[in-house]
Amino acid sequence: MPNPTLGPVLVIGLGRFGYSVARSLTSMGHEILAVDSDPVVVQRYANEFTQCLALDSTDTEALQQIGAADFSRVVVGIGSDLEASVLTVLSLAELGITEIWAKAVSRKHSSILERVGAHYVVRPESDMGERVAHKLTGAMIDFMQFDDDFAIARTRAVPRITGRQLGEFDTQSKYGVTVLGVKRADAAFEQASPQTTIEPTDELIVSGPKSGVESFCGLLQS
């Protein structure tokens, strides 16, 4: 069944990133208009999405003809062809799209996309690389960084903090971070409070500035 909460989404570029986004949205019940410049790619995925079309997304008139201006959210998954990526975002901005998500392959590419009208820029390779690097340190089970240097991490409790309440650590004044939740073994995450007592098998969800999250999680594992 279509999901009306988000409305239909236009996804341009059916490489690994664009296809993954389109497929995930489809599985959640959203209607997808998928677009790619390669007819072979379009034919390959024609039966997976609500509609799948081959066209030059850098052509503003072509986008108008398929009703791109009627979409409030568009994902531009073009990465390898930088010129096509930038011109597509520019065309969408000219059509007045209110929410443009675009893939970037470098910091410079990201900066250009933002300047020509992208509201949200994603660097999947860079983001995943940083995520893996943080997990490799052993201090975190998972890590995710957002805009403005804000990060969220999932880390394990260690013996040095078990049996104590979160309020004893004063994480805000010392590290600028907040412990948002605690997961007990075989239980769902629950909201943390200063009175929450840490148990040996607990996992903690920590949020705050990237440097503070790294310091706090590193201290727990040291």
Side-chain angles (χ1 to χ4, degrees), residues 153-164:
R154 179 175 175 178
T155 187
R156 295 182 179 88
V158 292
R160 63 185 295 181
I161 68 169
T162 56
R164 301 169 64 185

Side-chain angles (χ1 to χ4, degrees), residues 10 33 53 61-72 95 97:
L10 171 59
L33 170 54
L53 302 174
E61 290 187 7
L63 290 174
Q64 287 178 318
Q65 291 174 4
I66 65 169
D70 297 329
F71 289 81
S72 59
L95 291 177
I97 306 299

Side-chain angles (χ1 to χ4, degrees), residues 4-208:
T5 58
L6 178 64
V9 179
L10 171 59
V11 178
I12 300 175
L14 294 175
R16 285 180 296 178
F17 175 76
Y19 172 69
S20 178
V21 171
R23 183 179 61 181
S24 297
L25 287 170
T26 297
S27 70
M28 290 185 283
H30 301 296
E31 295 184 351
I32 299 296
L33 170 54
V35 169
D36 197 277
S37 60
D38 188 342
V40 175
V41 173
V42 169
Q43 185 175 10
R44 181 188 308 155
Y45 299 132
N47 296 324
E48 294 197 37
F49 307 118
T50 312
Q51 193 173 7
C52 203
L53 302 174
L55 61 80
D56 178 5
S57 60
T58 66
D59 186 339
T60 305
E61 290 187 7
L63 290 174
Q64 287 178 318
Q65 291 174 4
I66 65 169
D70 297 329
F71 289 81
S72 59
R73 295 176 176 87
V74 180
V75 177
V76 180
I78 304 170
S80 57
D81 189 336
L82 301 188
E83 182 178 355
S85 167
V86 172
L87 290 177
T88 296
V89 169
L90 182 59
S91 294
L92 293 169
E94 290 176 348
L95 291 177
I97 306 299
T98 56
E99 196 170 301
I100 302 171
W101 294 71
K103 172 187 175 180
V105 296
S106 67
R107 188 176 299 276
K108 182 175 290 187
H109 185 197
S110 174
S111 177
I112 294 172
L113 290 175
E114 291 174 347
R115 290 181 183 180
V116 299
H119 304 98
Y120 303 95
V121 177
V122 181
R123 294 176 58 193
E125 289 84 1
S126 175
D127 294 343
M128 182 54 69
E130 183 167 20
R131 191 174 183 182
V132 170
H134 280 83
K135 293 170 71 173
L136 279 170
T137 65
M140 306 175 196
I141 303 170
D142 205 352
F143 174 88
M144 186 173 295
Q145 183 176 348
F146 299 86
D147 292 336
D148 301 324
D149 199 40
F150 183 83
I152 293 180
R154 179 175 175 178
T155 187
R156 295 182 179 88
V158 292
R160 63 185 295 181
I161 68 169
T162 56
R164 301 169 64 185
Q165 293 186 341
L166 280 176
E168 296 180 43
F169 302 108
D170 196 13
T171 60
Q172 268 294 339
S173 63
K174 291 182 179 179
Y175 306 98
V177 303
T178 300
V179 178
L180 299 174
V182 176
K183 185 182 187 304
R184 299 273 150 82
D186 301 320
F189 275 101
E190 60 182 54
Q191 187 172 350
S193 74
Q195 290 73 43
T196 299
T197 300
I198 306 301
E199 297 181 0
T201 58
D202 285 352
E203 295 176 359
L204 312 179
I205 298 296
V206 184
S207 71

